[in-house]
Amino acid sequence: MHNQSTNYYFLLMEFSEVQEQQLLYFFVFLVIYFAILTGNFLIIFAIIFNHQLHTPMYFFLLNLAIQDLLAISVILPKSMANILMNTRHISYFGCICQVFFLVFFLGSDLWLLTVMAYDRYIAICNPLQYEKIMNKQACIYMIFAVWISSLFNGLLNASFVFGTPFCSNIINQFFCEIPKLLKLSCTGLNKNEIKVLMVMSALGSVCFLFILYTYVCIFTAVLKIHSLEGRKKAVSTCLPHVIVVSIFLFSGFFAYLKTSSTSLDFISTLLYCIIPPFLNPIIYSMRNRDIKIALAKVLNIRKITFTTKYFNSL
């Protein structure tokens, strides 16, 4: 298969042989995809069109929403298309693209969550220096570093995974997931696969330890706040971040580091690929008063503009 990779394809997991059940999966994926698109687009529009939200925290949140949209668009549209066309095929090149872009966007998500933890650390533990440290230029450099490091991470993982011959083209997953592809290798756990696991483990561990350290410092500082209202505000901005990071990292570690296939594979994949983009708009933004006000303003402006155009056309 390796020598004729351009002419080969992979067969993805079949959800069901029953057409009605296939349509049910399609409908579920469609609802999830639409919900993710709607929630993240609302966050993007609210932040872009409201100048009061042009702050470091919301700048990072804007990038997180963009990355979530792109990450989920790598997986679900292809899966839904396969269900509708009653096929399991994905081309060799298409599989490479899925691996590269998925690692690229999920990796950028992880780096960005780390940057957001640092932002909250500075805001709560060193508030007097916040504007000086988290200035516009520093934020742009951080985002640039996130995208570039994630780009190299995607290239490294894709080259390691597809740098080895495959003895089978049947992937026991509904998209090209690295752990499932590694199991198809003809050479067993070779050097390339060890490199993949080492890169992913090191990336996740460094980010997790840094985030853990920042939040230990944050919650220590919160306990010193005398105002009950101040404590609630600090915890409300930090706790959702901890929940998202925990779900994302632990489900990712479970999917990538376990040695055998289990019935929990599909659930762990949902947890680190689909659930974070679905929950991020809710726990980061919909509970945020500033975002709600910004969304109300944006939607009212759109409504007023549409009404004005309609009556002017009469």
Side-chain angles (χ1 to χ4, degrees), residues 59-60 63 112 115 138-148:
F59 175 64
F60 296 139
N63 279 269
L112 188 54
V115 170
C139 293
I140 293 174
Y141 284 155
M142 288 180 187
I143 290 299
F144 183 75
V146 165
W147 285 101
I148 294 299

Side-chain angles (χ1 to χ4, degrees), residues 277-295:
F278 181 79
L279 290 181
N280 282 347
I282 299 173
I283 62 181
Y284 269 120
S285 307
M286 298 308 177
R287 295 176 65 252
N288 186 298
R289 182 173 176 273
D290 294 333
I291 288 287
K292 288 181 180 178
I293 294 173
L295 283 174

Side-chain angles (χ1 to χ4, degrees), residues 2 17 30 37 61 87 109 122 124 133 236 245 249 308 314:
H2 179 65
E17 296 181 356
L30 181 63
L37 290 181
L61 184 58
T87 182
D109 254 20
I122 298 298
I124 294 174
I133 296 174
S236 66
V245 171
L249 284 178
T308 303
L314 294 178

Side-chain angles (χ1 to χ4, degrees), residues 259-271:
T259 56
S260 59
S261 297
T262 68
S263 58
L264 298 176
D265 287 356
F266 185 72
I267 297 175
S268 65
T269 300
L270 290 178
L271 285 176

Side-chain angles (χ1 to χ4, degrees), residues 127-141:
L128 297 179
Q129 298 293 319
Y130 180 77
E131 292 186 2
K132 181 179 179 180
I133 296 174
M134 301 301 293
N135 57 67
K136 183 178 180 180
Q137 188 176 24
C139 293
I140 293 174
Y141 284 155

